[in-house]
PDB file of all heavy atoms in Angstrom:
ATOM      1  N   SER A   2      16.730 -15.051  -6.780  1.00 44.00           N
ATOM      2  CA  SER A   2      15.341 -15.272  -6.382  1.00 44.00           C
ATOM      3  C   SER A   2      15.256 -16.241  -5.223  1.00 44.00           C
ATOM      4  O   SER A   2      16.069 -17.159  -5.102  1.00 44.00           O
ATOM      5  CB  SER A   2      14.533 -15.847  -7.558  1.00 44.00           C
ATOM      6  OG  SER A   2      14.396 -14.882  -8.557  1.00 44.00           O
ATOM      7  N   THR A   3      14.271 -16.051  -4.368  1.00 46.00           N
ATOM      8  CA  THR A   3      14.029 -17.004  -3.290  1.00 46.00           C
ATOM      9  C   THR A   3      13.072 -18.053  -3.805  1.00 46.00           C
ATOM     10  O   THR A   3      12.586 -17.993  -4.920  1.00 46.00           O
ATOM     11  CB  THR A   3      13.417 -16.270  -2.070  1.00 46.00           C
ATOM     12  OG1 THR A   3      12.177 -15.699  -2.455  1.00 46.00           O
ATOM     13  CG2 THR A   3      14.344 -15.201  -1.549  1.00 46.00           C
ATOM     14  N   SER A   4      12.739 -19.011  -2.972  1.00 49.00           N
ATOM     15  CA  SER A   4      11.884 -20.127  -3.405  1.00 49.00           C
ATOM     16  C   SER A   4      10.498 -19.689  -3.832  1.00 49.00           C
ATOM     17  O   SER A   4       9.848 -20.350  -4.616  1.00 49.00           O
ATOM     18  CB  SER A   4      11.784 -21.168  -2.283  1.00 49.00           C
ATOM     19  OG  SER A   4      11.245 -20.569  -1.131  1.00 49.00           O
ATOM     20  N   ASN A   5      10.003 -18.560  -3.343  1.00 49.00           N
ATOM     21  CA  ASN A   5       8.674 -18.104  -3.745  1.00 49.00           C
ATOM     22  C   ASN A   5       8.729 -17.127  -4.918  1.00 49.00           C
ATOM     23  O   ASN A   5       7.728 -16.565  -5.294  1.00 49.00           O
ATOM     24  CB  ASN A   5       7.934 -17.476  -2.548  1.00 49.00           C
ATOM     25  CG  ASN A   5       8.536 -16.167  -2.104  1.00 49.00           C
ATOM     26  OD1 ASN A   5       9.493 -15.674  -2.706  1.00 49.00           O
ATOM     27  ND2 ASN A   5       7.988 -15.612  -1.050  1.00 49.00           N
ATOM     28  N   GLY A   6       9.904 -16.924  -5.496  1.00 48.00           N
ATOM     29  CA  GLY A   6      10.022 -16.068  -6.661  1.00 48.00           C
ATOM     30  C   GLY A   6      10.317 -14.616  -6.342  1.00 48.00           C
ATOM     31  O   GLY A   6      10.561 -13.816  -7.214  1.00 48.00           O
ATOM     32  N   ALA A   7      10.295 -14.223  -5.066  1.00 48.00           N
ATOM     33  CA  ALA A   7      10.587 -12.826  -4.705  1.00 48.00           C
ATOM     34  C   ALA A   7      12.093 -12.595  -4.805  1.00 48.00           C
ATOM     35  O   ALA A   7      12.885 -13.451  -4.462  1.00 48.00           O
ATOM     36  CB  ALA A   7      10.101 -12.530  -3.289  1.00 48.00           C
ATOM     37  N   LYS A   8      12.479 -11.462  -5.264  1.00 53.00           N
ATOM     38  CA  LYS A   8      13.900 -11.137  -5.329  1.00 53.00           C
ATOM     39  C   LYS A   8      14.394 -10.731  -3.958  1.00 53.00           C
ATOM     40  O   LYS A   8      13.672 -10.087  -3.198  1.00 53.00           O
ATOM     41  CB  LYS A   8      14.131 -10.013  -6.346  1.00 53.00           C
ATOM     42  CG  LYS A   8      13.844 -10.457  -7.758  1.00 53.00           C
ATOM     43  CD  LYS A   8      14.165  -9.351  -8.738  1.00 53.00           C
ATOM     44  CE  LYS A   8      13.901  -9.864 -10.147  1.00 53.00           C
ATOM     45  NZ  LYS A   8      14.046  -8.850 -11.136  1.00 53.00           N
ATOM     46  N   GLU A   9      15.621 -11.104  -3.661  1.00 57.00           N
ATOM     47  CA  GLU A   9      16.219 -10.793  -2.365  1.00 57.00           C
ATOM     48  C   GLU A   9      16.099  -9.320  -2.011  1.00 57.00           C
ATOM     49  O   GLU A   9      15.868  -8.976  -0.876  1.00 57.00           O
ATOM     50  CB  GLU A   9      17.695 -11.182  -2.356  1.00 57.00           C
ATOM     51  CG  GLU A   9      17.939 -12.653  -2.153  1.00 57.00           C
ATOM     52  CD  GLU A   9      17.541 -13.163  -0.776  1.00 57.00           C
ATOM     53  OE1 GLU A   9      17.814 -12.485   0.225  1.00 57.00           O
ATOM     54  OE2 GLU A   9      16.952 -14.244  -0.727  1.00 57.00           O
ATOM     55  N   ASN A  10      16.295  -8.454  -2.962  1.00 61.00           N
ATOM     56  CA  ASN A  10      16.329  -7.019  -2.676  1.00 61.00           C
ATOM     57  C   ASN A  10      15.095  -6.278  -3.177  1.00 61.00           C
ATOM     58  O   ASN A  10      15.158  -5.083  -3.394  1.00 61.00           O
ATOM     59  CB  ASN A  10      17.599  -6.411  -3.285  1.00 61.00           C
ATOM     60  CG  ASN A  10      18.840  -6.979  -2.621  1.00 61.00           C
ATOM     61  OD1 ASN A  10      18.865  -7.163  -1.418  1.00 61.00           O
ATOM     62  ND2 ASN A  10      19.846  -7.281  -3.414  1.00 61.00           N
ATOM     63  N   SER A  11      14.005  -6.969  -3.379  1.00 67.00           N
ATOM     64  CA  SER A  11      12.833  -6.276  -3.914  1.00 67.00           C
ATOM     65  C   SER A  11      12.199  -5.363  -2.861  1.00 67.00           C
ATOM     66  O   SER A  11      12.233  -5.635  -1.681  1.00 67.00           O
ATOM     67  CB  SER A  11      11.804  -7.281  -4.434  1.00 67.00           C
ATOM     68  OG  SER A  11      11.354  -8.110  -3.398  1.00 67.00           O
ATOM     69  N   HIS A  12      11.678  -4.285  -3.337  1.00 74.00           N
ATOM     70  CA  HIS A  12      10.957  -3.303  -2.518  1.00 74.00           C
ATOM     71  C   HIS A  12      11.829  -2.691  -1.422  1.00 74.00           C
ATOM     72  O   HIS A  12      11.337  -2.329  -0.361  1.00 74.00           O
ATOM     73  CB  HIS A  12       9.699  -3.912  -1.904  1.00 74.00           C
ATOM     74  CG  HIS A  12       8.724  -4.441  -2.887  1.00 74.00           C
ATOM     75  ND1 HIS A  12       8.006  -3.633  -3.726  1.00 74.00           N
ATOM     76  CD2 HIS A  12       8.388  -5.709  -3.192  1.00 74.00           C
ATOM     77  CE1 HIS A  12       7.246  -4.384  -4.492  1.00 74.00           C
ATOM     78  NE2 HIS A  12       7.460  -5.636  -4.207  1.00 74.00           N
ATOM     79  N   ASN A  13      13.124  -2.556  -1.664  1.00 80.00           N
ATOM     80  CA  ASN A  13      14.000  -2.003  -0.631  1.00 80.00           C
ATOM     81  C   ASN A  13      13.570  -0.622  -0.182  1.00 80.00           C
ATOM     82  O   ASN A  13      13.557  -0.329   1.007  1.00 80.00           O
ATOM     83  CB  ASN A  13      15.449  -1.942  -1.129  1.00 80.00           C
ATOM     84  CG  ASN A  13      16.140  -3.268  -1.009  1.00 80.00           C
ATOM     85  OD1 ASN A  13      15.689  -4.143  -0.290  1.00 80.00           O
ATOM     86  ND2 ASN A  13      17.210  -3.425  -1.744  1.00 80.00           N
ATOM     87  N   LYS A  14      13.209   0.244  -1.111  1.00 79.00           N
ATOM     88  CA  LYS A  14      12.832   1.619  -0.760  1.00 79.00           C
ATOM     89  C   LYS A  14      11.583   1.612   0.127  1.00 79.00           C
ATOM     90  O   LYS A  14      11.505   2.339   1.116  1.00 79.00           O
ATOM     91  CB  LYS A  14      12.582   2.418  -2.031  1.00 79.00           C
ATOM     92  CG  LYS A  14      12.751   3.888  -1.876  1.00 79.00           C
ATOM     93  CD  LYS A  14      12.675   4.564  -3.232  1.00 79.00           C
ATOM     94  CE  LYS A  14      13.148   5.975  -3.166  1.00 79.00           C
ATOM     95  NZ  LYS A  14      13.067   6.636  -4.447  1.00 79.00           N
ATOM     96  N   ALA A  15      10.604   0.784  -0.208  1.00 82.00           N
ATOM     97  CA  ALA A  15       9.359   0.722   0.554  1.00 82.00           C
ATOM     98  C   ALA A  15       9.519   0.031   1.895  1.00 82.00           C
ATOM     99  O   ALA A  15       8.636   0.088   2.738  1.00 82.00           O
ATOM    100  CB  ALA A  15       8.278   0.012  -0.263  1.00 82.00           C
ATOM    101  N   ARG A  16      10.638  -0.632   2.090  1.00 85.00           N
ATOM    102  CA  ARG A  16      10.860  -1.375   3.327  1.00 85.00           C
ATOM    103  C   ARG A  16      11.844  -0.694   4.259  1.00 85.00           C
ATOM    104  O   ARG A  16      12.170  -1.234   5.315  1.00 85.00           O
ATOM    105  CB  ARG A  16      11.348  -2.784   2.971  1.00 85.00           C
ATOM    106  CG  ARG A  16      10.263  -3.573   2.217  1.00 85.00           C
ATOM    107  CD  ARG A  16      10.811  -4.809   1.571  1.00 85.00           C
ATOM    108  NE  ARG A  16      11.221  -5.776   2.555  1.00 85.00           N
ATOM    109  CZ  ARG A  16      12.050  -6.777   2.304  1.00 85.00           C
ATOM    110  NH1 ARG A  16      12.558  -6.930   1.091  1.00 85.00           N
ATOM    111  NH2 ARG A  16      12.358  -7.627   3.232  1.00 85.00           N
ATOM    112  N   THR A  17      12.298   0.514   3.916  1.00 88.00           N
ATOM    113  CA  THR A  17      13.198   1.226   4.806  1.00 88.00           C
ATOM    114  C   THR A  17      12.404   1.928   5.910  1.00 88.00           C
ATOM    115  O   THR A  17      11.243   2.270   5.722  1.00 88.00           O
ATOM    116  CB  THR A  17      14.039   2.268   4.040  1.00 88.00           C
ATOM    117  OG1 THR A  17      13.173   3.176   3.398  1.00 88.00           O
ATOM    118  CG2 THR A  17      14.949   1.613   3.038  1.00 88.00           C
ATOM    119  N   SER A  18      13.044   2.129   7.016  1.00 91.00           N
ATOM    120  CA  SER A  18      12.372   2.727   8.149  1.00 91.00           C
ATOM    121  C   SER A  18      13.306   3.775   8.755  1.00 91.00           C
ATOM    122  O   SER A  18      14.520   3.632   8.667  1.00 91.00           O
ATOM    123  CB  SER A  18      12.074   1.631   9.177  1.00 91.00           C
ATOM    124  OG  SER A  18      10.890   1.880   9.855  1.00 91.00           O
ATOM    125  N   PRO A  19      12.749   4.835   9.337  1.00 93.00           N
ATOM    126  CA  PRO A  19      11.335   5.164   9.427  1.00 93.00           C
ATOM    127  C   PRO A  19      10.779   5.702   8.106  1.00 93.00           C
ATOM    128  O   PRO A  19      11.501   5.829   7.131  1.00 93.00           O
ATOM    129  CB  PRO A  19      11.313   6.261  10.504  1.00 93.00           C
ATOM    130  CG  PRO A  19      12.632   6.946  10.341  1.00 93.00           C
ATOM    131  CD  PRO A  19      13.604   5.856   9.940  1.00 93.00           C
ATOM    132  N   TYR A  20       9.475   5.997   8.108  1.00 92.00           N
ATOM    133  CA  TYR A  20       8.901   6.654   6.947  1.00 92.00           C
ATOM    134  C   TYR A  20       9.630   7.965   6.724  1.00 92.00           C
ATOM    135  O   TYR A  20       9.985   8.637   7.703  1.00 92.00           O
ATOM    136  CB  TYR A  20       7.405   6.922   7.141  1.00 92.00           C
ATOM    137  CG  TYR A  20       6.537   5.705   6.975  1.00 92.00           C
ATOM    138  CD1 TYR A  20       6.174   4.926   8.059  1.00 92.00           C
ATOM    139  CD2 TYR A  20       6.083   5.332   5.723  1.00 92.00           C
ATOM    140  CE1 TYR A  20       5.375   3.812   7.917  1.00 92.00           C
ATOM    141  CE2 TYR A  20       5.285   4.221   5.555  1.00 92.00           C
ATOM    142  CZ  TYR A  20       4.938   3.459   6.650  1.00 92.00           C
ATOM    143  OH  TYR A  20       4.158   2.349   6.494  1.00 92.00           O
ATOM    144  N   PRO A  21       9.868   8.359   5.477  1.00 90.00           N
ATOM    145  CA  PRO A  21      10.617   9.600   5.219  1.00 90.00           C
ATOM    146  C   PRO A  21      10.022  10.810   5.948  1.00 90.00           C
ATOM    147  O   PRO A  21       8.811  11.019   5.938  1.00 90.00           O
ATOM    148  CB  PRO A  21      10.487   9.776   3.694  1.00 90.00           C
ATOM    149  CG  PRO A  21      10.255   8.391   3.176  1.00 90.00           C
ATOM    150  CD  PRO A  21       9.443   7.703   4.251  1.00 90.00           C
ATOM    151  N   GLY A  22      10.880  11.562   6.570  1.00 90.00           N
ATOM    152  CA  GLY A  22      10.458  12.778   7.268  1.00 90.00           C
ATOM    153  C   GLY A  22       9.703  12.545   8.559  1.00 90.00           C
ATOM    154  O   GLY A  22       9.051  13.458   9.061  1.00 90.00           O
ATOM    155  N   SER A  23       9.726  11.318   9.078  1.00 93.00           N
ATOM    156  CA  SER A  23       9.006  11.041  10.317  1.00 93.00           C
ATOM    157  C   SER A  23       9.849  10.168  11.231  1.00 93.00           C
ATOM    158  O   SER A  23      10.958   9.754  10.876  1.00 93.00           O
ATOM    159  CB  SER A  23       7.696  10.316   9.993  1.00 93.00           C
ATOM    160  OG  SER A  23       7.918   8.941   9.764  1.00 93.00           O
ATOM    161  N   LYS A  24       9.291   9.860  12.380  1.00 94.00           N
ATOM    162  CA  LYS A  24       9.920   8.908  13.300  1.00 94.00           C
ATOM    163  C   LYS A  24       9.115   7.624  13.384  1.00 94.00           C
ATOM    164  O   LYS A  24       9.401   6.761  14.208  1.00 94.00           O
ATOM    165  CB  LYS A  24      10.052   9.545  14.681  1.00 94.00           C
ATOM    166  CG  LYS A  24      11.003  10.721  14.696  1.00 94.00           C
ATOM    167  CD  LYS A  24      11.134  11.328  16.060  1.00 94.00           C
ATOM    168  CE  LYS A  24      12.088  12.519  15.969  1.00 94.00           C
ATOM    169  NZ  LYS A  24      12.211  13.210  17.238  1.00 94.00           N
ATOM    170  N   VAL A  25       8.107   7.479  12.505  1.00 94.00           N
ATOM    171  CA  VAL A  25       7.247   6.306  12.507  1.00 94.00           C
ATOM    172  C   VAL A  25       7.970   5.144  11.827  1.00 94.00           C
ATOM    173  O   VAL A  25       8.370   5.243  10.672  1.00 94.00           O
ATOM    174  CB  VAL A  25       5.902   6.595  11.786  1.00 94.00           C
ATOM    175  CG1 VAL A  25       5.019   5.367  11.740  1.00 94.00           C
ATOM    176  CG2 VAL A  25       5.187   7.753  12.476  1.00 94.00           C
ATOM    177  N   GLN A  26       8.117   4.049  12.566  1.00 94.00           N
ATOM    178  CA  GLN A  26       8.798   2.871  12.045  1.00 94.00           C
ATOM    179  C   GLN A  26       7.834   2.026  11.206  1.00 94.00           C
ATOM    180  O   GLN A  26       6.687   1.807  11.584  1.00 94.00           O
ATOM    181  CB  GLN A  26       9.333   2.009  13.202  1.00 94.00           C
ATOM    182  CG  GLN A  26      10.395   2.704  14.022  1.00 94.00           C
ATOM    183  CD  GLN A  26      11.670   2.959  13.228  1.00 94.00           C
ATOM    184  OE1 GLN A  26      12.143   2.105  12.484  1.00 94.00           O
ATOM    185  NE2 GLN A  26      12.205   4.168  13.372  1.00 94.00           N
ATOM    186  N   ARG A  27       8.313   1.567  10.056  1.00 92.00           N
ATOM    187  CA  ARG A  27       7.515   0.677   9.208  1.00 92.00           C
ATOM    188  C   ARG A  27       7.480  -0.722   9.806  1.00 92.00           C
ATOM    189  O   ARG A  27       8.391  -1.120  10.528  1.00 92.00           O
ATOM    190  CB  ARG A  27       8.138   0.556   7.815  1.00 92.00           C
ATOM    191  CG  ARG A  27       8.099   1.808   7.007  1.00 92.00           C
ATOM    192  CD  ARG A  27       8.693   1.496   5.639  1.00 92.00           C
ATOM    193  NE  ARG A  27       9.042   2.683   4.910  1.00 92.00           N
ATOM    194  CZ  ARG A  27       8.336   3.170   3.894  1.00 92.00           C
ATOM    195  NH1 ARG A  27       7.248   2.583   3.512  1.00 92.00           N
ATOM    196  NH2 ARG A  27       8.720   4.257   3.287  1.00 92.00           N
ATOM    197  N   SER A  28       6.448  -1.462   9.456  1.00 90.00           N
ATOM    198  CA  SER A  28       6.403  -2.880   9.809  1.00 90.00           C
ATOM    199  C   SER A  28       7.519  -3.579   9.041  1.00 90.00           C
ATOM    200  O   SER A  28       7.750  -3.294   7.867  1.00 90.00           O
ATOM    201  CB  SER A  28       5.062  -3.492   9.394  1.00 90.00           C
ATOM    202  OG  SER A  28       4.002  -2.836  10.049  1.00 90.00           O
ATOM    203  N   GLN A  29       8.223  -4.467   9.702  1.00 89.00           N
ATOM    204  CA  GLN A  29       9.319  -5.183   9.064  1.00 89.00           C
ATOM    205  C   GLN A  29       8.765  -6.386   8.294  1.00 89.00           C
ATOM    206  O   GLN A  29       8.008  -7.183   8.837  1.00 89.00           O
ATOM    207  CB  GLN A  29      10.330  -5.642  10.106  1.00 89.00           C
ATOM    208  CG  GLN A  29      11.016  -4.487  10.811  1.00 89.00           C
ATOM    209  CD  GLN A  29      11.782  -3.593   9.830  1.00 89.00           C
ATOM    210  OE1 GLN A  29      12.642  -4.053   9.102  1.00 89.00           O
ATOM    211  NE2 GLN A  29      11.429  -2.322   9.809  1.00 89.00           N
ATOM    212  N   VAL A  30       9.134  -6.485   7.034  1.00 90.00           N
ATOM    213  CA  VAL A  30       8.681  -7.567   6.168  1.00 90.00           C
ATOM    214  C   VAL A  30       9.897  -8.376   5.735  1.00 90.00           C
ATOM    215  O   VAL A  30      10.750  -7.871   5.006  1.00 90.00           O
ATOM    216  CB  VAL A  30       7.934  -7.021   4.926  1.00 90.00           C
ATOM    217  CG1 VAL A  30       7.487  -8.160   4.020  1.00 90.00           C
ATOM    218  CG2 VAL A  30       6.741  -6.173   5.349  1.00 90.00           C
ATOM    219  N   PRO A  31       9.980  -9.639   6.155  1.00 90.00           N
ATOM    220  CA  PRO A  31      11.120 -10.461   5.740  1.00 90.00           C
ATOM    221  C   PRO A  31      11.036 -10.793   4.253  1.00 90.00           C
ATOM    222  O   PRO A  31       9.947 -10.813   3.668  1.00 90.00           O
ATOM    223  CB  PRO A  31      10.997 -11.722   6.612  1.00 90.00           C
ATOM    224  CG  PRO A  31       9.592 -11.749   7.082  1.00 90.00           C
ATOM    225  CD  PRO A  31       9.084 -10.331   7.063  1.00 90.00           C
ATOM    226  N   ASN A  32      12.175 -11.037   3.632  1.00 89.00           N
ATOM    227  CA  ASN A  32      12.218 -11.323   2.196  1.00 89.00           C
ATOM    228  C   ASN A  32      11.230 -12.383   1.764  1.00 89.00           C
ATOM    229  O   ASN A  32      10.583 -12.255   0.726  1.00 89.00           O
ATOM    230  CB  ASN A  32      13.630 -11.737   1.776  1.00 89.00           C
ATOM    231  CG  ASN A  32      14.584 -10.571   1.756  1.00 89.00           C
ATOM    232  OD1 ASN A  32      14.183  -9.416   1.592  1.00 89.00           O
ATOM    233  ND2 ASN A  32      15.849 -10.846   1.970  1.00 89.00           N
ATOM    234  N   GLU A  33      11.062 -13.430   2.551  1.00 91.00           N
ATOM    235  CA  GLU A  33      10.175 -14.537   2.141  1.00 91.00           C
ATOM    236  C   GLU A  33       8.694 -14.169   2.207  1.00 91.00           C
ATOM    237  O   GLU A  33       7.847 -14.895   1.697  1.00 91.00           O
ATOM    238  CB  GLU A  33      10.449 -15.801   2.963  1.00 91.00           C
ATOM    239  CG  GLU A  33      10.138 -15.697   4.431  1.00 91.00           C
ATOM    240  CD  GLU A  33      11.296 -15.166   5.276  1.00 91.00           C
ATOM    241  OE1 GLU A  33      12.311 -14.665   4.724  1.00 91.00           O
ATOM    242  OE2 GLU A  33      11.176 -15.232   6.514  1.00 91.00           O
ATOM    243  N   LYS A  34       8.372 -12.997   2.768  1.00 90.00           N
ATOM    244  CA  LYS A  34       6.976 -12.543   2.861  1.00 90.00           C
ATOM    245  C   LYS A  34       6.656 -11.395   1.913  1.00 90.00           C
ATOM    246  O   LYS A  34       5.542 -10.880   1.910  1.00 90.00           O
ATOM    247  CB  LYS A  34       6.660 -12.099   4.293  1.00 90.00           C
ATOM    248  CG  LYS A  34       6.823 -13.166   5.334  1.00 90.00           C
ATOM    249  CD  LYS A  34       5.770 -14.231   5.228  1.00 90.00           C
ATOM    250  CE  LYS A  34       5.866 -15.156   6.417  1.00 90.00           C
ATOM    251  NZ  LYS A  34       4.949 -16.272   6.313  1.00 90.00           N
ATOM    252  N   VAL A  35       7.614 -10.967   1.092  1.00 87.00           N
ATOM    253  CA  VAL A  35       7.424  -9.798   0.227  1.00 87.00           C
ATOM    254  C   VAL A  35       6.401 -10.043  -0.885  1.00 87.00           C
ATOM    255  O   VAL A  35       5.610  -9.174  -1.207  1.00 87.00           O
ATOM    256  CB  VAL A  35       8.764  -9.342  -0.369  1.00 87.00           C
ATOM    257  CG1 VAL A  35       8.576  -8.313  -1.474  1.00 87.00           C
ATOM    258  CG2 VAL A  35       9.641  -8.755   0.725  1.00 87.00           C
ATOM    259  N   GLY A  36       6.356 -11.221  -1.450  1.00 85.00           N
ATOM    260  CA  GLY A  36       5.453 -11.503  -2.579  1.00 85.00           C
ATOM    261  C   GLY A  36       3.985 -11.275  -2.216  1.00 85.00           C
ATOM    262  O   GLY A  36       3.539 -11.602  -1.111  1.00 85.00           O
ATOM    263  N   TRP A  37       3.229 -10.704  -3.144  1.00 80.00           N
ATOM    264  CA  TRP A  37       1.807 -10.370  -2.897  1.00 80.00           C
ATOM    265  C   TRP A  37       0.960 -11.597  -2.614  1.00 80.00           C
ATOM    266  O   TRP A  37      -0.063 -11.516  -1.951  1.00 80.00           O
ATOM    267  CB  TRP A  37       1.222  -9.631  -4.097  1.00 80.00           C
ATOM    268  CG  TRP A  37       1.683  -8.220  -4.202  1.00 80.00           C
ATOM    269  CD1 TRP A  37       2.472  -7.697  -5.193  1.00 80.00           C
ATOM    270  CD2 TRP A  37       1.415  -7.148  -3.297  1.00 80.00           C
ATOM    271  NE1 TRP A  37       2.701  -6.366  -4.949  1.00 80.00           N
ATOM    272  CE2 TRP A  37       2.060  -6.001  -3.793  1.00 80.00           C
ATOM    273  CE3 TRP A  37       0.694  -7.043  -2.129  1.00 80.00           C
ATOM    274  CZ2 TRP A  37       2.005  -4.773  -3.155  1.00 80.00           C
ATOM    275  CZ3 TRP A  37       0.641  -5.805  -1.478  1.00 80.00           C
ATOM    276  CH2 TRP A  37       1.286  -4.695  -2.002  1.00 80.00           C
ATOM    277  N   PHE A  38       1.352 -12.756  -3.116  1.00 85.00           N
ATOM    278  CA  PHE A  38       0.516 -13.945  -2.982  1.00 85.00           C
ATOM    279  C   PHE A  38       0.976 -14.869  -1.855  1.00 85.00           C
ATOM    280  O   PHE A  38       0.482 -15.971  -1.706  1.00 85.00           O
ATOM    281  CB  PHE A  38       0.449 -14.689  -4.315  1.00 85.00           C
ATOM    282  CG  PHE A  38      -0.153 -13.834  -5.389  1.00 85.00           C
ATOM    283  CD1 PHE A  38       0.626 -13.312  -6.410  1.00 85.00           C
ATOM    284  CD2 PHE A  38      -1.498 -13.500  -5.356  1.00 85.00           C
ATOM    285  CE1 PHE A  38       0.069 -12.490  -7.390  1.00 85.00           C
ATOM    286  CE2 PHE A  38      -2.053 -12.677  -6.318  1.00 85.00           C
ATOM    287  CZ  PHE A  38      -1.277 -12.182  -7.335  1.00 85.00           C
TER     288      PHE A  38
END
Side-chain angles (χ1 to χ4, degrees):
S2 291
T3 61
S4 59
N5 69 3
K8 292 183 178 174
E9 281 293 318
N10 295 320
S11 62
H12 302 291
N13 279 343
K14 204 172 193 181
R16 295 166 68 199
T17 58
S18 214
Y20 283 94
S23 80
K24 294 180 181 177
V25 178
Q26 296 294 317
R27 293 183 196 256
S28 300
Q29 296 300 304
V30 179
N32 287 334
E33 65 272 11
K34 300 289 188 185
V35 169
W37 286 114
F38 299 108

